Amino acid sequence: MMGALGIIVAILVVGCAVLAAMGFKGRISVVGVDLGTTYSVIGINNGGTVEIVPDKEGHVLVPSTVAFLPEGRVAVGRAARRYLEHDPTHTIYNAKRFIGRAAADPSLVKELAEHDFELVERPGNASEGWFRLDEARGHGAAVAPEGVGARVLLHLKAMVADHLGYDQVDKAVIAVPAKFDARQRQMTAEAYRQAGLRVMRVLEEPTAAALAYGLHRKPDVHHILVYDFGGGTLDVSVLFVNEGSVEVEASEGDDHLGGSDFDQCLAHHLVARLGPDLVDAGTFRRVEACGGAMAEAHLCTQHLLYPLSEELKRRLSDQLYSDVRCMVQRPGASSMRGGEADVCAPANWVETQLTVTRDEFEHACSDLFERAMIPVDLVLEEVGLTARGVDEVVMVGGTTRIPRVRARLKEHLGVESLNTHIDPDITVAYGAATVID
């Protein structure tokens, strides 16, 4: 009996050794994560093969947006973005811009002007600016930026559990902006803690991007410029490579320039194009109270033009022109109530189409394209490097898809090619996942 047991144990030991030699390390429990300003991404490393995990609809990019709904319900990602139009004060996005920041930070005043939600000061907390909520909805009177981040991370964890068929992920390799200070890094880690993820390693985002491309193993590469233009921030870093190790020498950037600013630029352009046809907030609220089909109509309001502008920007990266459509009040509407057009009558509304060309977009937002070159000069000056000393340029972040951004950077540096073959939206998460043991 003991002999048979010994044989079984020996077989199991040999089997485990064979599996280990083949790279099998058991169930996956560690993920690589890019908790972004506008979108977030999560990846796994399965025996040396990195895989970016999609949601049930096949999307690998999860909007970093959370809607705090009545009765304690929460919507995250694409489900949350549906509430931007009809519940904008409880739909929080760009929370990464507020994490670990003082509520009185002057730079946040301008930021808040572009959002419908409000900040509540919570002195004594690492993140002093919290987002105001209606306490009757069951989420408390306010939520911290890291609390918003934790909701996004819980959603990402659920995606991985669905993808793998088991829920065992409890650790993460994370990436943070190179310019994040200690308090911002601390509160980013707090978001992971609240989501039940232990941080195993913290990479700076430009380092993760270089690792994704394997440039640390490429001969004759010493200086890498990482141009990370995401939804909320622009970060430009110079990395020094020495015998396979990668070090961030310097970083410069613009914490208030990202893809969302191009969205706002386009939205402002559309507002100017609409002129007096723009539907004001008071009319919008009256239409909402109508109920029926009118309550669901896409009116030409400023807060609707923001998500429409984001999609318009994406289309203009692939097309020379595109358009947006929304509803405006019909001129000379005849159905009157109390001396003004009856906003509840569908006949008093008409769809309008605004066509925008790529050239028009580039001209309207030309100051943003030029502003995006400033950190390049600053970081090169800081390390005493000229453009000719840059061996590789890595493009990271969805905003680098804009043709004018790529063309302008190539002109500015005098280079012929950029590293773009990895989807720029997933590069950081991909790099984080590559270092998982």
Side-chain angles (χ1 to χ4, degrees):
M1 182 72 174
M2 291 298 293
L5 182 60
I7 292 172
I8 293 172
V9 170
I11 292 172
L12 288 173
V13 170
V14 172
C16 289
V18 171
L19 288 171
M22 295 172 65
F24 181 76
K25 298 184 178 180
R27 287 189 164 188
I28 291 170
S29 62
V30 188
V31 289
V33 185
D34 177 16
L35 182 61
T37 305
T38 309
Y39 290 96
S40 295
V41 184
I42 192 164
I44 57 176
N45 190 325
N46 194 354
T49 300
V50 172
E51 183 180 359
I52 301 300
V53 178
D55 63 16
K56 292 179 180 178
E57 288 76 42
H59 303 291
V60 295
L61 301 181
V62 174
S64 302
T65 305
V66 180
F68 294 88
L69 308 175
E71 300 175 352
R73 295 178 295 115
V74 170
V76 180
R78 282 172 178 76
R81 299 191 78 176
R82 301 188 189 111
Y83 293 92
L84 278 171
E85 181 179 355
H86 294 289
D87 196 5
T89 59
H90 291 89
T91 305
I92 312 299
Y93 58 97
N94 287 348
K96 187 174 177 178
R97 284 185 169 181
F98 298 83
I99 199 164
R101 306 284 288 275
D105 188 328
S107 63
L108 295 187
V109 175
K110 179 183 176 184
E111 187 68 36
L112 278 174
E114 300 290 348
H115 297 79
D116 288 295
F117 48 75
E118 299 177 39
L119 277 193
V120 178
E121 290 192 38
R122 290 293 175 89
N125 293 281
S127 295
E128 291 186 353
W130 291 33
F131 305 108
R132 186 188 301 278
L133 301 176
D134 180 354
E135 196 166 3
R137 293 190 171 207
H139 305 284
V143 61
E146 57 271 19
V148 176
R151 294 286 189 173
V152 176
L153 290 167
L154 285 168
H155 183 81
L156 293 173
K157 277 182 65 179
M159 284 167 46
V160 173
D162 287 339
H163 181 74
L164 296 175
Y166 56 85
D167 185 5
Q168 198 169 306
V169 169
D170 59 1
K171 296 178 284 294
V173 174
I174 75 171
V176 298
K179 297 191 294 81
F180 259 22
D181 61 24
R183 188 160 75 166
Q184 289 171 303
R185 292 174 188 239
Q186 173 194 347
M187 298 321 293
T188 299
E190 173 62 16
Y192 283 85
R193 188 196 68 77
Q194 290 182 20
L197 287 167
R198 183 158 58 94
V199 175
M200 302 295 291
R201 183 173 176 181
V202 180
L203 296 174
E204 292 183 330
E205 289 173 0
T207 300
L211 293 174
Y213 278 96
L215 295 177
H216 57 302
R217 296 190 295 268
K218 191 172 179 179
D220 300 321
V221 170
H222 302 291
H223 288 102
I224 302 169
L225 187 139
V226 177
Y227 191 83
D228 186 349
F229 208 173
T233 58
L234 168 61
D235 294 293
V236 184
S237 303
V238 171
L239 281 57
F240 180 67
V241 181
N242 182 33
E243 297 181 352
S245 66
V246 182
E247 177 188 356
V248 178
E249 284 195 300
S251 291
E252 290 290 343
D254 191 327
D255 290 338
H256 298 279
L257 179 63
S260 60
D261 296 283
F262 287 90
D263 303 339
Q264 290 163 5
C265 174
L266 270 175
H268 294 160
H269 179 68
L270 293 174
V271 165
R273 287 272 303 273
L274 280 166
D277 287 334
L278 181 72
V279 178
D280 61 54
T283 302
F284 170 72
R285 286 192 292 270
R286 285 160 48 215
V287 172
E288 271 198 314
C290 294
M294 280 308 302
E296 299 298 322
H298 294 296
L299 306 186
C300 294
T301 58
Q302 188 158 352
H303 65 261
L304 173 64
L305 290 175
Y306 178 85
L308 288 179
S309 296
E310 181 183 9
E311 183 55 36
L312 176 62
K313 176 193 69 180
R314 291 176 181 275
R315 291 196 299 268
L316 289 174
S317 292
D318 299 316
Q319 305 164 201
L320 294 178
Y321 63 90
S322 189
D323 59 65
V324 297
R325 303 182 184 198
C326 53
M327 305 292 289
V328 298
Q329 286 186 282
R330 185 187 298 277
S334 58
S335 178
M336 305 294 288
R337 181 195 298 169
E340 60 183 26
D342 181 2
V343 298
C344 295
N348 285 338
W349 294 87
V350 62
E351 184 179 72
T352 189
Q353 175 179 310
L354 298 170
T355 300
V356 180
T357 67
R358 183 186 290 178
D359 286 344
E360 188 178 350
F361 164 46
E362 293 176 356
H363 178 74
C365 305
S366 60
D367 60 324
L368 298 182
F369 288 110
E370 290 308 305
R371 184 173 150 193
M373 296 300 109
I374 295 173
V376 177
D377 295 332
L378 292 175
V379 75
L380 290 177
E381 181 180 353
E382 185 173 343
V383 298
L385 199 66
T386 66
R388 291 174 62 86
V390 175
D391 300 306
E392 296 282 349
V393 180
V394 176
M395 303 296 274
V396 183
T399 306
T400 64
R401 282 198 178 87
I402 298 175
R404 182 57 184 158
V405 169
R406 293 186 177 187
R408 189 70 190 87
L409 186 61
K410 288 169 74 173
E411 292 170 6
H412 200 71
L413 291 173
V415 298
E416 294 183 1
S417 63
L418 309 167
N419 284 283
T420 59
H421 64 265
I422 296 176
D423 182 342
D425 280 313
I426 69 170
T427 308
V428 170
Y430 192 101
T434 62
V435 304
I436 296 173
D437 296 326

